[in-house]
Amino acid sequence: MSKTTRATQVLTQAKVVFTVHAYDYDPNAERVGLQAAEALGEEPHRVLKTLMAEVDGKPVCAVVPSDHEVSMKKLAAAFGGKSASMMKPADAERLTGYHVGGISPFGQKKMVPTAIEAQAMTEAYVYINGGQRGLQVRLSPQDALAALKAKTAPLIA
């Protein structure tokens, strides 16, 4: 497995301090984010999942703790919209250039507005997908926020 991806290249170019962590990805896991947390030996609230969604028909990215579900109502509100829905996997792959299970908010083919769950900002560090299945990057949530030019918002149910 390569530890250099578009995501890690973007972080390196932005001079973000991060470490790369590989783990055995289980394609049959019921919840991929929780499986990643367990494989890394980390608390699930520190391992963030990247979700591609649509708010009023426009693509957005939500980064939330792997042990929570995103609230569609809160997601829509975070982007000033009326309704939100999850993006179809094929559309998410086409838009980001990553495969489902390996979608990173960093280095997507087309950058879209991104929000990070506000609770994640209280952590000293978080893990976010590094651009391929079985690869996570560990960094400060503030660095992630800055690198993504994202906003924070309450997104979880």
Side-chain angles (χ1 to χ4, degrees), residues 2 9 19 65-66 71 73 75 84-85 100-101 103 106 126 138 144:
S2 172
Q9 289 171 338
T19 54
S66 62
S71 160
K73 187 174 185 177
L75 182 63
S85 62
V100 169
I103 293 179
F106 307 108
V126 293
R138 179 183 166 175

Side-chain angles (χ1 to χ4, degrees), residues 98-157:
Y98 293 121
H99 295 292
V100 169
I103 293 179
S104 177
F106 307 108
Q108 294 183 359
K109 281 191 341 188
K110 182 175 192 268
M111 289 303 295
V112 299
T114 301
I116 299 175
E117 166 55 42
Q119 287 182 11
M121 302 311 291
T122 64
E123 299 296 328
Y125 62 88
V126 293
Y127 289 83
I128 299 177
N129 193 289
Q132 65 181 266
R133 295 169 179 159
L135 192 72
Q136 297 279 323
V137 292
R138 179 183 166 175
L139 71 168
S140 82
Q142 290 77 18
D143 285 347
L145 188 72
L148 293 167
K149 297 179 177 57
K151 62 170 94 179
T152 59
L155 300 172
I156 54 179

Side-chain angles (χ1 to χ4, degrees), residues 54-78:
E54 293 179 345
V55 171
D56 295 344
K58 294 187 173 92
V60 299
C61 180
V63 182
V64 300
S66 62
D67 59 346
H68 286 83
E69 296 298 319
V70 71
S71 160
M72 290 299 144
K73 187 174 185 177
K74 289 179 181 179
L75 182 63

